[in-house]
Amino acid sequence: MSAPLTLPDPSAPATATPLVRTVRIEEPVDLLGHVPAGVSGAWLRHGQGLVAVGRAWSVRTTGPDRFAAASAAFRDLASRARVDDEVRVRTSGLIALGSFSYAGASERPSTLLVPRALLGVHDGEAFLTVVGIDEEPELPASWRDLFPSSPVDLPAASPLELEADHTPDEYQALVQQAVDEIRSGAAEKVVLSERTSVRTPEPLSPALLLTRLARAYPSTWVYHLEDVIGASPEMLAQTEDGRVFSRVLAGSRPAADDGELDEADRRAFRADRKERSEHAYAVDSVVERLEDLAAEIEVSAEPFVLRLPGLEHLASDVSARLHEGVTSLDVAARLHPSAAVSGTPREQADEIIARLEPHDRGGYAAPVGWMDASGDGQWAIALRMAHLTGDRSAVLQAGGGLVAASDPVSEHAEALAKCRPMLRSLRGDAEA
Ligand SMILES: C=C(O[C@H]1C=CC=C(C(=O)O)[C@@H]1O)C(=O)O
């Protein structure tokens, strides 16, 4: 295995002292109306969260110890921080946004980044955080100077050009191969995914994509940092006041975009043996690994159905009391990759994935989120996402869990359905 590599931002020496100032914004702020064109990161849910501009400090890490190396660098920075925070809510003060890579062998570095400025809304309270490294951060005359209005949404332009890595037949053959390996005992569950390259007629605007995603999928965790952007329904590790929460999703079926659900249908979904086994592997993987870091683990008695536009998932909530000193990133590192995105057993599943998927997963299916100076934070799994690869190009990635009873045709349809949120936001229309 390669040694972990830590690449601090050259502009931030190891002795860098962050000077952080958070001030209250007295007027109500519509956060989604202030995602500026130059947004450097974001974390949004139910109209709240954080929008970032600029970069005060960052660390990039690679290798199997990428989480620990990034965590140590941020802890070191935070130990020198001088914070003047008049708001003192969960997301005020010194905050790092982060995006990790799926595999230790990935060429794509993982990043923790402290923005120059953050516009935040938490429980209806709005605030502005500014950060200087070794110098007092400058407060703008108005928060709007740093966070002008979001770009104006334009009507849908000409259609996107799409190209999947495989034809439908090829992808279904890969699914069949994974299912055959599962049936022969190589693994119990494997999560396979497909990439779709997209070319857009207009230059891509992360700000526009974020506001569209956050408006259309308000219950998901909408994220952006570096090259990743998306709307994840799955929370890997959220910590607060010594407790950890994780929402495990596995088992899916297509659903209507709106309208009432048929209760009988929903009961059948919850009772489906194949979906339940796929779900159970994911829950077990989280509970087993959480045992190293937490006590008093509680799991939803029965999976519930989480409804998203166009798709439903079986979901279980897991919560526990964290052992002293364990951070949100420690939990994310321990749980990643859960069997919702890799499989069971993990090593065998990851070996099959590396063999059947032609490309490095990059940031797909890896932790994305934020952390404060105490280590509390939220790390979602980067699903329903795209890698922004150029001015007019992005690569979408989505997949699904396979067990012995999986059917290649429906698995292919499921992977396509999971691309819809990104496709819709790229198109800027309701059709996908
Ligand atoms: C792997 C993905 O979804 C995971 C999360 C929810 C449901 C899943 C499933 O039913 O297969 C997957 O485990 C993806 O969105 O690319």
Side-chain angles (χ1 to χ4, degrees), residues 191 234 249-252 278 313 340-341 364 383-384 398-401 414 418:
V191 182
E234 186 152 5
L249 306 182
S252 310
E278 199 183 317
H313 296 302
V341 292
Y364 165 68
L383 299 173
R384 320 302 143 84
E414 184 180 315
K418 287 171 174 167

Side-chain angles (χ1 to χ4, degrees), residues 154-160 201-202 426-429:
L154 301 165
S158 33
L160 307 172
E202 305 292 336
L426 284 161
R427 282 205 177 104
D429 64 17

Side-chain angles (χ1 to χ4, degrees), residues 88-373:
R88 294 184 160 274
V89 292
R90 190 158 158 60
T91 43
S92 63
L94 178 64
I95 297 287
L97 302 175
S99 160
F100 286 79
S101 293
Y102 180 88
S106 179
E107 305 233 314
R108 173 189 179 269
S110 299
T111 300
L112 277 184
L113 179 147
V114 176
R116 276 257 165 238
L118 282 162
L119 178 65
V121 175
H122 179 82
D123 283 348
E125 194 161 10
F127 55 90
L128 173 72
T129 297
V130 285
V131 181
I133 297 293
D134 295 327
E135 59 181 14
E136 277 301 331
E138 212 178 300
L139 268 182
S142 159
W143 61 272
R144 290 168 196 269
D145 297 348
L146 292 174
F147 294 93
S149 302
S150 306
V152 176
D153 208 346
L154 301 165
S158 33
L160 307 172
E161 283 172 42
L162 303 179
E163 192 180 351
D165 277 355
H166 303 94
T167 63
D169 283 351
E170 284 168 352
Y171 186 68
Q172 287 161 29
L174 282 175
V175 170
Q176 189 59 58
Q177 188 176 336
V179 168
D180 290 344
E181 295 197 28
I182 292 168
R183 289 181 184 158
S184 71
E188 289 155 77
K189 173 178 174 179
V190 175
V191 182
L192 200 65
S193 69
E194 170 72 323
R195 300 190 333 162
T196 303
S197 301
V198 179
R199 289 197 62 79
T200 60
E202 305 292 336
L204 283 165
S205 160
L208 209 49
L209 295 175
L210 284 166
T211 50
R212 287 173 181 163
L213 286 170
R215 291 212 156 96
Y217 303 91
S219 69
T220 65
W221 289 275
V222 171
Y223 56 87
H224 169 50
L225 188 70
E226 307 272 284
D227 57 344
V228 296
I229 191 162
S232 177
E234 186 152 5
M235 174 52 62
L236 184 65
Q238 166 176 306
T239 69
E240 192 173 12
D241 298 333
R243 295 205 56 89
V244 59
F245 167 82
S246 183
R247 169 160 294 167
V248 185
L249 306 182
S252 310
R253 67 164 193 166
D257 270 2
D258 41 34
E260 272 314 295
L261 260 182
D262 181 328
E263 235 346 280
D265 249 24
R266 182 178 269 188
R267 267 201 305 277
F269 177 42
R270 283 177 55 191
D272 186 289
R273 285 169 64 110
K274 180 239 155 206
E275 303 297 340
R276 285 295 282 262
S277 80
E278 199 183 317
H279 186 74
Y281 287 123
V283 174
D284 290 350
S285 74
V286 166
V287 171
E288 276 163 25
R289 291 171 204 160
L290 210 47
E291 277 165 2
D292 301 342
L293 305 175
E296 298 162 21
I297 301 175
E298 288 167 28
V299 188
S300 314
E302 281 285 307
F304 59 95
V305 177
L306 183 84
R307 180 147 197 235
L308 297 165
L311 207 58
E312 287 183 345
H313 296 302
L314 290 184
S316 292
D317 285 348
V318 179
S319 63
R321 186 173 52 75
L322 278 179
H323 296 332
E324 192 67 32
V326 176
T327 70
S328 58
L329 195 52
D330 294 337
V331 181
R334 183 72 191 102
L335 299 186
H336 172 75
S338 80
V341 292
S342 97
T344 307
R346 184 201 275 188
E347 283 68 30
Q348 283 84 334
D350 272 340
E351 184 279 316
I352 295 172
I353 291 167
R355 195 155 36 77
L356 298 188
E357 287 184 5
H359 298 280
D360 183 342
R361 283 187 168 188
Y364 165 68
V368 63
W370 64 272
M371 180 163 78
D372 68 16

